[in-house]
Amino acid sequence: MESKIIAYLSNLLQSCIDKKAHLSGKLLHGYIFRNGLSADTFLSNRLVEFYSKCGHTSTARHLFNKMPHRNIYSWHAMLDGYCKASKLKDAHELFAAMPERNTVSWNTLISAFFQSGFEQKALDFYHTMNLEGFVPTRFTLASVLSACGALMDMDCGRECHGVAIKIGLEKNMYVANALLYMYAKSRCIEDAIRAFGDLPGLNEVSFTAMMGVLAESDRVEEAFSMFRSMYRTGIRIDSISLSSVLGVCARGGMGEFCFTSETYGFPSYIHGQQIHGLTVKLGFESDLHLNNSLLDMYSKNGDMDSAEIIFNYLAEVSVVSWNIMIGGYGKKHQTDKALEYMEKMQCQGFEPDEVTCINMLAACIKSRHIETGRQIFDRMVCPSLSSWNAILSGYSQNENHEEAINLFRQMQFQGVQPDRTTLAIILSSCAGIGLLESGKQVHAASLKAIFHADIYVASGLIGMYSKCNKIEMAKCIFNRMPELDIVCWNSMIAGFSLNSLDKEAFTFFKKMLGKGMMPTEFSYATVLSCCAKLLSFSQGRQIHAQITKDGYINDVFVGSSLIDMYSKCGDVDLARQFFDEMPFKNTVTWNEMIHGYAQNGCGDEAVTLYEDMIGLGEEPNSITFVSVLTACSHSGLVDTGSKIFNSMQLEHGVDPLLDHYTCIVDALGRAGRFHEAEVLIETMPYKDDPIIWEVLLSSCRVHANVDLARRAAEELFRLDPQNSAPYVLLGNMYSSLGRWEEAKFIRKMMNDKQVYKNPGYSWVEHKNRMQVFKVDDDFGIDVAEFEAKNVDVRDSADLLVKCDCPNLATRL
């Protein structure tokens, strides 16, 4: 009779457990106590489970401690209660006190620690479980493989995969899906694909996971194909699957240009609209999570009109919905609209969270409304690290580097620990204004935070030291890195180029290729710049061939660098041929070609190309005008140059800068129109800049305008007393006019002030090798002797790229 009562009470307690009916369960507990059934272990286990399920773990533990007889199920009930309540310390202590354990005990603990984010601790328990001789089950391996994926611990993951094969669980659905997850999270895409192919039975979970894997690795078309296969196979399409494929559509629209399907030729946006239709067809239009995925897809594809229509018709919205709308308008640089949605959000009783603030900060930064962003940041009670990084990035991107550094100091005073992103942003700001001491302090902070070996931070350190002219320190950091990626190599090559160490840049580029590292667009643009500075035509042609082989020939930045290289090496026709063949051009490309014509004395062609650029609707910038005005100056097109100069502000809204005034003064001076040049100098805002007077002095020497030359020289003596150019130019002018005493006086003044002129250099490239010549070198050598003495352009450490000797060509 008693056994029937116990069974009946047990069923009632199970019902209370299932429904979390706390009050009914307590009444049952009272009945059990009054009728002397508390000593029954089976009922006590159910009571422990009931209180744990209802969240009253302290009551459950009190009852557990009072039990006269406990069995392993009693311990498991209490352990499971602690684990589900995330009281991991209590769970661990209880586990350690268990008189006996089995596989279920270990699985419960491992799963709890994994699900609470303590993946490494879960793996530690798994290793201990193995040492104690317990054989893992499908549940063990599912948790452990997932933990390996979260930690990207491929060594442990592959070891567990081997264990699964050994004990025959590799085909189990739980284990197989965990293997897929593990390889996916570790970015081992091919292994993930194989794991997917080995699944014993495919379900919506497998397909959804595989779609996420392929989308994360930018294999968007394959992810769409996976969804099509899932649909055609007849596997149930649920809201999670639809959300996942909408995420794929969103990824396709995140770039500058929407992803286009190779099979159907449709952009990912069209796929997203089709999924939207399927969502309505399957009756999921009221699912909030799915609707948020739709909003995200439309916003990331830039269709905020459709996103707004969906948002306005939503029966239910959440903070996530508002955040997506704010972020979407921010990406389109519509800060006012983003602010409007934030105000509506607050008016409707939704409290902005951290994501809201970060989205608003991002919107302000992208629209260059940095002060509005700062106001939002300052209103945050306790900004998160992501918020700090967002506002620091805003100041850095807007080149307000001083404020970024000051804000970083404030961040440190408030005890907020920087991460790799913070350090990289601040290093960029230090590099931007050449603040070596601040950069060293950030370097020290990276050492303290143990980020000095991080690739991301190391690239920033290399860039900072390079831009502060401490290339040896940059090289030291590079050499000490345990692991290098392409960004580190690019930073180091760019650092050498920036410090005019182009031979070393070439050496590193070849070393990078030797290490099997694939160059990027940035790598090629930098090394082509080195070719241009060295005027090494043959090396440039070789790099051009490598670019074609690697498939970067249509990249607009690489193409612009090729135009610059060919132009500086004197083959402007080849530069123009390549320019005409480029499928895409931007302002930089046009500028390089115009400048190439300018460098090679092709003024008419430069002006014609400039007019073509304007005619095609391309907007010129400050550099465009420097290039075309230089061409006019060098080719004697004074009136054309003046007309273009006058149109800068009136027609294109570009304010003339020092370089533009210099070009016009040079053009007027070369043409002997000195009165106009003087009038322009008197009215310009840069009359105290030495370069203006040096250009004018050079023109005076050509036209033997002694009075104006003397005035220009006196201005230069005042503005830049250690510059040798005015002494040399004025002295040579006096000498050419036979005014020897005045020339002698200039040389004496130069000696008295200890002003020295560096000797000029030139070179000859022959059979891929370079011979460097200096003023007063002996040039009377035959070809055989020259070939015996020449220097390999790739091995010479003494290449100089400035030819400064006007009489060298005559002597040769």
Side-chain angles (χ1 to χ4, degrees):
M1 183 67 181
E2 185 175 310
S3 62
K4 288 183 178 180
I5 293 173
I6 289 171
Y8 177 69
L9 290 171
S10 174
N11 289 335
L12 290 176
L13 279 172
Q14 184 62 53
S15 178
C16 292
I17 291 169
D18 294 339
K19 297 176 181 178
K20 295 185 180 180
H22 183 237
L23 182 59
S24 300
K26 285 181 73 174
L27 291 173
L28 284 172
H29 187 184
Y31 180 86
I32 291 168
F33 180 77
R34 285 194 305 273
N35 288 276
L37 298 174
S38 299
D40 185 84
T41 303
F42 183 66
L43 284 176
S44 295
N45 288 347
R46 281 299 170 95
L47 283 168
V48 169
E49 184 182 356
F50 159 72
Y51 282 116
S52 298
K53 189 80 170 181
C54 292
H56 295 275
T57 50
S58 55
T59 306
R61 182 59 189 264
H62 177 75
L63 185 61
F64 174 82
N65 290 338
K66 294 289 185 179
M67 287 177 67
H69 307 291
R70 304 187 195 103
N71 59 19
I72 194 166
Y73 300 106
S74 314
W75 289 91
H76 282 168
M78 194 65 244
L79 180 64
D80 188 59
Y82 277 140
C83 288
K84 286 180 178 173
S86 296
K87 294 185 176 182
L88 300 184
K89 183 180 178 183
D90 294 327
H92 191 195
E93 289 174 354
L94 185 77
F95 181 83
M98 288 179 72
E100 61 173 317
R101 306 185 190 108
N102 61 14
T103 307
V104 175
S105 320
W106 286 103
N107 288 349
T108 303
L109 197 67
I110 290 168
S111 176
F113 273 86
F114 162 67
Q115 290 175 8
S116 297
F118 296 96
E119 294 90 355
Q120 188 56 58
K121 196 72 177 174
L123 293 186
D124 293 340
F125 284 130
Y126 169 70
H127 294 313
T128 307
M129 174 185 176
N130 284 336
L131 290 173
E132 292 191 10
F134 289 95
V135 178
T137 66
R138 56 180 181 167
F139 300 111
T140 321
L141 291 174
S143 296
V144 171
L145 286 166
S146 298
C148 292
L151 295 170
M152 294 189 181
D153 187 346
M154 285 305 300
D155 292 335
C156 184
R158 293 189 190 281
E159 178 186 319
C160 290
H161 192 171
V163 171
I165 294 170
K166 182 179 178 181
I167 61 179
L169 287 175
E170 77 279 9
K171 298 293 184 183
N172 178 270
M173 182 59 72
Y174 291 102
V175 176
N177 278 325
L179 277 168
L180 174 59
Y181 170 85
M182 185 266 294
Y183 285 123
K185 290 292 286 184
S186 302
R187 302 295 176 90
C188 298
I189 307 303
E190 297 306 320
D191 289 316
I193 292 171
R194 276 194 292 273
F196 179 81
D198 291 339
L199 284 170
L202 299 174
N203 58 18
E204 63 271 21
V205 176
S206 316
F207 273 104
T208 302
M210 200 61 221
M211 280 190 288
V213 171
L214 294 168
E216 283 292 325
S217 59
D218 293 326
R219 295 165 70 163
V220 182
E221 174 59 26
E222 291 176 67
F224 280 125
S225 297
M226 191 65 63
F227 180 77
R228 284 193 289 267
S229 299
M230 177 182 178
Y231 187 71
R232 289 167 183 165
T233 308
I235 290 175
R236 186 175 70 91
I237 305 292
D238 59 11
S239 60
I240 297 173
S241 307
L242 290 168
S243 293
S244 180
V245 76
L246 283 169
V248 174
C249 299
R251 285 190 69 84
M254 285 171 68
E256 185 177 353
F257 303 101
C258 279
F259 164 80
T260 301
S261 162
E262 293 176 6
T263 307
Y264 299 101
F266 290 102
S268 62
Y269 174 69
I270 301 298
H271 286 295
Q273 289 182 312
Q274 292 170 347
I275 300 300
H276 188 179
L278 185 60
T279 299
V280 175
K281 180 181 177 181
L282 295 175
F284 289 114
E285 60 266 40
S286 61
D287 186 290
L288 178 60
H289 177 70
L290 187 53
N291 280 323
N292 286 339
S293 297
L294 277 167
L295 288 176
D296 187 55
M297 183 276 294
Y298 281 116
S299 68
K300 283 180 178 169
N301 279 283
D303 186 358
M304 289 309 298
D305 292 336
S306 296
E308 190 160 1
I309 291 169
I310 293 170
F311 182 84
N312 290 335
Y313 281 95
L314 286 179
E316 179 188 4
V317 295
S318 65
V319 174
V320 174
S321 315
W322 289 100
N323 288 346
I324 292 168
M325 295 301 292
I326 292 168
Y329 279 115
K331 285 183 177 69
K332 294 200 75 175
H333 299 187
Q334 296 181 11
T335 310
D336 294 339
K337 197 75 174 173
L339 282 168
E340 179 189 324
Y341 264 80
M342 187 173 178
E343 289 169 2
K344 284 182 180 178
M345 173 186 183
Q346 291 171 304
C347 289
Q348 294 188 22
F350 288 92
E351 192 64 33
D353 62 6
E354 182 187 343
V355 177
T356 317
C357 295
I358 291 174
N359 283 350
M360 271 309 312
L361 283 173
C364 295
I365 290 162
K366 286 179 181 178
S367 303
R368 296 190 174 275
H369 295 162
I370 190 67
E371 292 307 317
T372 306
R374 181 60 184 269
Q375 290 170 13
I376 292 168
F377 178 80
D378 289 340
R379 286 200 296 267
M380 296 172 72
V381 178
C382 185
S384 68
L385 182 57
S386 297
S387 304
W388 282 100
N389 288 346
I391 191 67
L392 288 171
S393 175
Y395 279 120
S396 183
Q397 288 174 25
N398 283 275
E399 298 187 0
N400 192 344
H401 300 302
E402 295 89 346
E403 189 59 35
I405 292 167
N406 290 335
L407 197 61
F408 175 67
R409 292 196 180 105
Q410 183 181 329
M411 174 183 168
Q412 289 182 301
F413 289 142
Q414 293 186 18
V416 181
Q417 290 298 315
D419 65 359
R420 61 202 295 259
T421 304
T422 321
L423 295 172
I425 292 167
I426 297 304
L427 286 168
S428 175
S429 286
C430 292
I433 52 177
L435 273 181
L436 178 61
E437 289 306 313
S438 295
K440 286 180 176 179
Q441 291 170 16
V442 178
H443 190 176
S446 74
L447 291 166
K448 184 178 178 181
I450 322 177
F451 281 118
H452 59 285
D454 181 271
I455 293 176
Y456 195 48
V457 176
S459 297
L461 285 168
I462 292 167
M464 184 273 295
Y465 281 117
S466 297
K467 289 180 181 177
C468 292
N469 301 317
K470 296 291 181 182
I471 193 66
E472 288 302 319
M473 190 64 190
K475 193 174 178 181
C476 180
I477 291 167
F478 180 90
N479 290 333
R480 287 182 179 178
M481 284 297 294
E483 183 182 351
L484 295 164
D485 68 353
I486 189 62
V487 179
C488 288
W489 282 99
N490 285 347
S491 297
M492 199 65 240
I493 293 168
F496 282 124
S497 179
L498 190 67
N499 286 270
S500 299
L501 298 169
D502 299 292
K503 172 261 174 183
E504 285 83 351
F506 260 112
T507 302
F508 260 71
F509 180 75
K510 290 189 293 182
K511 188 177 178 182
M512 182 182 86
L513 294 177
K515 295 280 186 181
M517 197 72 67
M518 286 296 295
T520 63
E521 302 94 320
F522 186 83
S523 316
Y524 283 124
T526 305
V527 79
L528 283 169
S529 173
C530 295
C531 291
K533 286 190 282 184
L534 292 171
L535 306 186
S536 181
F537 183 78
S538 58
Q539 293 290 332
R541 290 297 299 267
Q542 291 176 33
I543 298 296
H544 188 171
Q546 187 67 37
I547 289 167
T548 304
K549 180 182 175 184
D550 288 349
Y552 289 114
I553 199 66
N554 290 331
D555 182 84
V556 69
F557 295 105
V558 175
S560 300
S561 299
L562 276 166
I563 292 168
D564 179 54
M565 183 274 295
Y566 282 126
S567 298
K568 285 181 178 171
C569 290
D571 198 336
V572 72
D573 292 332
L574 191 54
R576 180 57 190 265
Q577 179 185 333
F578 183 77
F579 174 86
D580 290 336
E581 291 172 355
M582 287 182 68
F584 305 107
K585 301 179 182 72
N586 61 10
T587 305
V588 175
T589 316
W590 287 93
N591 289 350
E592 290 292 1
M593 194 63 247
I594 294 169
H595 188 241
Y597 278 133
Q599 287 176 310
N600 288 274
C602 304
D604 291 323
E605 290 86 345
V607 171
T608 301
L609 190 62
Y610 165 76
E611 290 171 349
D612 290 343
M613 176 184 179
I614 301 299
L616 289 169
E618 192 74 41
E619 196 64 35
N621 60 16
S622 178
I623 297 170
T624 314
F625 288 108
V626 171
S627 301
V628 71
L629 290 174
T630 300
C632 293
S633 171
H634 290 182
S635 300
L637 304 173
V638 186
D639 293 330
T640 303
S642 298
K643 181 181 176 183
I644 292 171
F645 178 80
N646 293 330
S647 72
M648 283 178 62
Q649 199 168 38
L650 293 173
E651 297 179 17
H652 305 288
V654 178
D655 293 326
L657 302 176
L658 172 63
D659 290 341
H660 306 111
Y661 283 107
T662 303
C663 290
I664 290 298
V665 170
D666 185 43
L668 293 169
R670 286 171 185 256
R673 294 160 63 168
F674 292 110
H675 176 70
E676 294 173 63
E678 285 186 90
V679 170
L680 181 62
I681 290 172
E682 290 300 325
T683 57
M684 72 171 64
Y686 303 103
K687 62 182 297 183
D688 283 336
D689 194 284
I691 191 66
I692 292 289
W693 296 103
E694 189 171 330
V695 165
L696 186 63
L697 177 56
S698 180
S699 297
C700 290
R701 181 191 172 214
V702 173
H703 293 278
N705 188 334
V706 178
D707 292 336
L708 188 55
R710 189 182 295 114
R711 183 196 168 192
E714 287 171 355
E715 291 288 346
L716 284 167
F717 295 155
R718 176 178 66 85
L719 295 169
D720 192 5
Q722 291 302 306
N723 182 6
S724 64
Y727 298 95
V728 173
L729 288 169
L730 190 60
N732 288 347
M733 183 179 179
Y734 284 139
S735 298
S736 65
L737 295 172
R739 299 167 70 159
W740 306 112
E741 289 301 320
E742 289 162 296
K744 183 178 179 182
F745 175 77
I746 292 296
R747 290 194 187 92
K748 182 178 182 301
M749 187 193 305
M750 195 174 176
N751 289 331
D752 291 344
K753 292 184 178 181
Q754 296 184 329
V755 178
Y756 303 102
K757 181 181 182 299
N758 293 324
Y761 289 83
S762 191
W763 59 87
V764 174
E765 187 176 15
H766 179 68
K767 292 185 180 178
N768 216 27
R769 293 173 179 270
M770 198 76 77
Q771 173 67 44
V772 181
F773 300 105
K774 189 173 68 173
V775 172
D776 295 330
D777 278 350
D778 180 14
F779 300 112
I781 57 176
D782 60 25
V783 174
E785 186 181 352
F786 166 71
E787 290 187 348
K789 289 184 176 181
N790 64 6
V791 183
D792 192 320
V793 66
R794 291 163 293 187
D795 299 326
S796 170
D798 302 315
L799 282 180
L800 294 172
V801 297
K802 183 179 180 184
C803 181
D804 196 26
C805 181
N807 297 321
L808 188 60
T810 306
R811 296 179 64 181
L812 276 169

